[in-house]
Amino acid sequence: MRGKQMTVCLFLSLLSGEDQTMKKLLLLCWIVAAVSVTGCGSKSSESALSSDVDTTQYNQIDADAALLEEARRMVKDVFFEFDSAELDQMAMSQLKNNAAWLVDNQSISVMIEGHCDERGTYEYNMALGERRAEVTKGFLERAGVNGARLETVSYGEEKPFDPGHNEAAWAKNRRAHFMVK
């Protein structure tokens, strides 16, 4: 503000002279300078405000993406024995970890996909995949995860994790897989 007052005083002292052309020229220069400074100031304020909003939105997007990535690392699949939808000790241990993480992170929802190996009929494997997904969901609900955040679907043998045709591949395909949302 002090700089503007000094400019006005200097301008007024220059106008005290006799030359009218010089007065008009100085007045025009002073108006152009004042408009330029004022115009730049308002634009930078608007862009600073816009920048703050954009930064906040980007920070939220980054935080959401980081949480989804963490969920993909923390919420792990569980595996089943041949022709079974029963949870063994290893599966229950993993589901306890999954449940604890999901209870602590209420904004995350999951789709639980039931999968089977390639043995059995299409219909049988679809039903077995559904039972696997449902038993997994039920365990998580009993462990405190809100059921509204859990969806299930069966893919039967349609989406194998391992395309092999041996016991090692089949063991990887008999699973409840978590898709984080």
Side-chain angles (χ1 to χ4, degrees):
M1 189 66 169
R2 182 161 171 77
K4 287 182 180 178
Q5 289 173 343
M6 289 178 61
T7 304
V8 171
C9 289
L10 177 62
F11 174 72
L12 291 175
S13 67
L14 289 172
L15 285 181
S16 62
E18 299 288 327
D19 188 3
Q20 290 297 323
T21 305
M22 183 59 102
K23 286 181 183 181
K24 288 179 183 176
L25 183 59
L26 285 173
L27 178 60
L28 179 63
C29 289
W30 186 79
I31 291 172
V32 169
V35 169
S36 297
V37 170
T38 304
C40 291
S42 67
K43 286 182 185 174
S44 68
S45 297
E46 289 171 7
S47 64
L49 178 59
S50 175
S51 177
D52 288 345
V53 170
D54 291 345
T55 302
T56 302
Q57 288 172 342
Y58 287 127
N59 288 343
Q60 184 60 47
I61 290 168
D62 289 345
D64 292 345
L67 184 60
L68 285 173
E69 186 57 37
E70 181 182 354
R72 289 182 187 103
R73 285 192 322 272
M74 300 300 292
V75 180
K76 296 181 181 173
D77 293 355
V78 294
F79 298 89
F80 295 87
E81 293 297 320
F82 173 69
D83 196 28
S84 173
E86 291 183 29
L87 297 167
D88 63 17
Q89 288 300 318
M90 188 178 291
M92 285 189 276
S93 177
Q94 182 57 55
L95 287 176
K96 286 177 187 175
N97 292 337
N98 290 358
W101 194 91
L102 288 166
V103 166
D104 288 343
N105 295 278
Q106 297 288 321
S107 65
I108 298 294
S109 296
V110 295
M111 172 70 72
I112 304 166
E113 300 176 348
H115 294 272
C116 301
D117 62 36
E118 63 189 356
R119 298 174 288 180
T121 66
Y122 172 84
E123 293 80 12
Y124 182 82
N125 284 337
M126 289 299 288
L128 180 57
E130 185 63 28
R131 287 194 309 274
R132 288 175 174 169
E134 288 296 328
V135 74
T136 301
K137 178 182 179 181
F139 185 97
L140 293 173
E141 287 176 320
R142 287 186 301 281
V145 180
N146 183 343
R149 297 171 45 215
L150 306 171
E151 296 180 53
T152 62
V153 65
S154 176
Y155 288 113
E157 64 189 73
E158 297 301 308
K159 292 186 172 186
F161 178 76
D162 187 328
H165 304 285
N166 55 44
E167 185 54 46
W170 295 332
K172 293 175 190 171
N173 293 333
R174 296 187 302 257
R175 70 196 189 283
H177 176 69
F178 292 88
M179 292 295 295
V180 178
K181 305 191 273 178

